Amino acid sequence: MAPERSCAFAPGRVNLIGEHTDYNGGLALPFAIAQGVTVRAETTRGDSGLAETIEAHARDLEESDEFTLAEPGPADGWRAFVRGVVAELGRAGYPLCGARLEISGDVPQGSGLSSSAALEVALCLALAELGSESSEGREDGRHVALDRRDIARLCARVENEWVGAHTGLLDQLASLFGAPDTALRIDFATLEIEPVPLVLDGWRLVILDSGERHAHASSGYNERRDECARACALLGVDSLSEGSAHAVAQLPEPLRLRAEHVLGENRRVREAVAALRTEDLATIGVLLDASHESLRDLFEISTQAVEAAVARLRCAGAAGARMVGGGFGGSILGLFAPDVPPPPDTLEVRPGPGAHLLET
Ligand code: GLA
C-alpha cells in the first residue's frame, strides 16, 4: 500500500566557494543550511477512487493552485515549480496520485540561498513517497527509491524548462547531499561528491541580505550562461573548465573574462578544500575575497547593493566576504573570526542535514 500521507524537508544552501562553475564542468564547495522548505502531502479521493488533481497551498504566501495530473500546464512564480515537478515526475514514469500539498518554508525567496531548489527537492521527495507502491529499495526503509543525482537532474529540468532559468545542478545537489558539519566538494565534470569536514571552531559564517531580490530567469544569469557556451564553442571544448589558460587568454572580450573567472574559481575551490583540511579558516577568508573580486570584475555580476553589503561586512571586521549564488543581488556570505562579532542584522549559517522525509 502506498502511504496516504508524506512530509519532506529540503534545505536551502550556501555555496562556500565555486560560483558559476557548475554549468562549466568545474568545482564548487556548497553546504546545506538549516533553513528550508517543508512539503506535506496527502492523497485525495474523488467519487471513483483516487483523485486526478493536485491542490497546492503555499502557506506563507496564502496562495493556492489546482491542476490536473494529466495536464499540469504552465504557470508563474511558485506554481511553475509545483507544476513542473509533477509533470517531470510523471514524464520520468513515476506513479503519481491526486494529492493536497501544503508548502511552508523559511528561506527568503530571491536571496540567493536556493529557496527554489529547496522547494523542488521537497516536492519531489514528498510526491514520490506518496506515489511509491512498495518500500523496496528505499534508503533507511523510508526514503523513496529515486536516485538522488536523478532527482537533482529532474529538478534542474524544472528550472530550465518550466521556470526558464538555465541553472546548473549546484543548488539541488547541495540540498540533497548536505550533512551536518560538512561542505561538499562537487566535481561537475563527473558529479562526484566528496564530503569535506567544515570545522568552524568558534569562527562564524553569516549571511547579509543585499536587499536586492533576483530571479535567475530574468537577471543576467542566462546571458552569462550563453557567453560561457560561446566561449566553449570558440575553444572547441565541451566545458570551460577544460580550456587551457593559454587558449582562454586569446578569447575575445568579454568571453576571456568569463572564462578566466571559471578557471580561477576552480583553483580557489581546490585551495579552499586544502585549507579546510588543515582547519585554516583565515585562508578561507582570503579566498572568499578573491572569489568576490573575480565575480565582480571578470564575471561582472555584482550590483551597487551587493557592493554596499560586502563593504559593510568588511568594515565590521569580516575575514572575508563574497556574494553567493547567481549574482545580480541576493545575499552576501561573511566569515568572522571567533573574537569579532558579526553585525546584528546578519543570519548565522552552519552546515546541516540534507533533504529527508519527516514523520507525518
Ligand atoms: C544559481 C544556480 C546554480 C549556480 C549558481 C552560481 O544558484 O541555480 O546552478 O549556477 O547560481 O554558482
Side-chain angles (χ1 to χ4, degrees), residues 3 21 25 43 67 77 83 89 110 121 142 162 170 174-175 182 214 254 265 272 288 315 341-342:
T21 48
T43 52
F67 56 91
R83 289 172 178 231
L89 278 170
V121 170
R142 286 282 299 147
W162 290 79
L170 170 74
S175 180
T182 304
H214 72 148
E265 193 73 351
L288 295 186
C315 284

Side-chain angles (χ1 to χ4, degrees), residues 13 18-20 22-23 167-171 216 221 325-326:
R13 62 98 190 90
E19 221 64 271
H20 288 270
D22 61 344
Y23 56 85
T167 52
L169 291 173
L170 170 74
D171 309 338
H216 294 326
Y221 185 95

